[in-house]
Amino acid sequence: MELLLFFRDRFDLHEGKEDELETIDYIKKNVEFKGANLWILIFAIFVASVGLNVNSTAVIIGAMLISPLMGPIMGIGLAAGINDFELIKKSLKNLGIAVLISILTSTIYFSFTPLNDAQSELLARTEPTIWDVLIALFGGLAGIVAGSRKEKSNAIPGVAIATALMPPLCTAGYGLATANLFYFFGAFYLFFINSVFISLSTYLIVRFMNFPKKEFLDPKREKTVKTYITIFTILTIVPSIYLAYNIVKRTLWEKSANNFITTEMQFPRTQIINSTFHYNPDSSTIEVTLIGERINEENLEIISRKLPVFNLKNTYLNVKQSGDSGTDMNLLRSDILKDLYERNELLIKNKDQKIALLERELAEYGQTYSQVMDIASEAKINHPNLQNFSLNRGIVANLQQNRQDTLLIAYAKFRQNPNQNERKRFENWLKIRTKADSLAVIIN
């Protein structure tokens, strides 16, 4: 019993809760899109579109922090939870305006940008996965719980970043600008899934925390509104559950397909250069492109029979090999070059960095070497007793800060031991002459 009381006290959502009416008013204020809110959305869409265009994660995150898209989505869940049909209509209207403006803005940007290639950040928003559903659900739960506190936290901006509401709309705009309907519908589907599950999580918390429902003077009107709310909730939740179920099935199928390729499609003198998956509940396809020694049809048939072992029922294996009459050799060459580049890109980058470092060190050494005779001759004029002179760069281990420093080391030998003033004058002149940040002078 004490343990139960302990957990109830620890997980009590009513602790630190804002007055329900204040929370409702707080969410309602963020529902409407007009004036400054609308301009902020447009600017944020431009920023996100640029981020997707140049493949900059930091820019995309910044745009999501600016975006006010969460307002009407949470407003829909709140309205369903408190039986406020007018708020549902207002939230849906403003969400529609926001979506239309967002897609229109991103379409305009991608129609004029000179960078037309779809980068990895953009491609990641073309198809939802089960992880997107879970992020939207738990992110929405965090958002409404944080919004109901007396002390507002940064949870709602965090939810906007985690659920990534804005990038899918920008990707949908890219799909329209490039006439790629697959990108458009895939990205819009992702936005729809995120919006539905954020609204659903808001609805669940509002019901769980017993927010005061809207009161009606006319019982008949109240019954009608409740009926509309119930129908709206069912029409939203049931399809979303079905969609989430299909996403789970597709995610598990893709995992099994990857496992199948990794386990069964490994050959000693043949390499996979490309693999694509096409999921359909009734009939799915795994397409694999091979290069190297040809695999005969009998072996491919044996491999295909193992598909059910990996829970890949109703799945067809389509293997393309170099030399097949139906194989596009230009596409094959392109895939080979792409694969080689991706595999060696990091190696090339590391080599370029090493070469640049060596070139820089060599240039510094060459500069120091060429200066020795000139500096020695000038020093001889000011110090006639100077007999030998050397100048080199050395590496010093800084043990206190655990790092390496570069030090310019000068060695000077005089016929007669110079006095303190001459030593000081020689060192000061050498520092100015070499323009060294750190200099050590050894006088013999």
Side-chain angles (χ1 to χ4, degrees), residues 47 90 119 122 159 173 177 242 250 260 285-286 322 348 364 441-442:
V47 172
K90 183 179 179 182
Q119 304 290 346
L122 190 144
V159 173
Y242 175 73
R250 190 188 71 220
F260 170 78
T285 305
I286 300 174
S322 55
I348 292 168
E364 290 177 353
V441 181
I442 302 171

Side-chain angles (χ1 to χ4, degrees), residues 1-12:
M1 188 66 180
E2 288 183 3
L3 185 62
L4 182 63
L5 290 173
F6 171 79
F7 280 107
R8 182 180 294 177
D9 179 61
R10 285 289 170 180
F11 291 94
D12 186 11

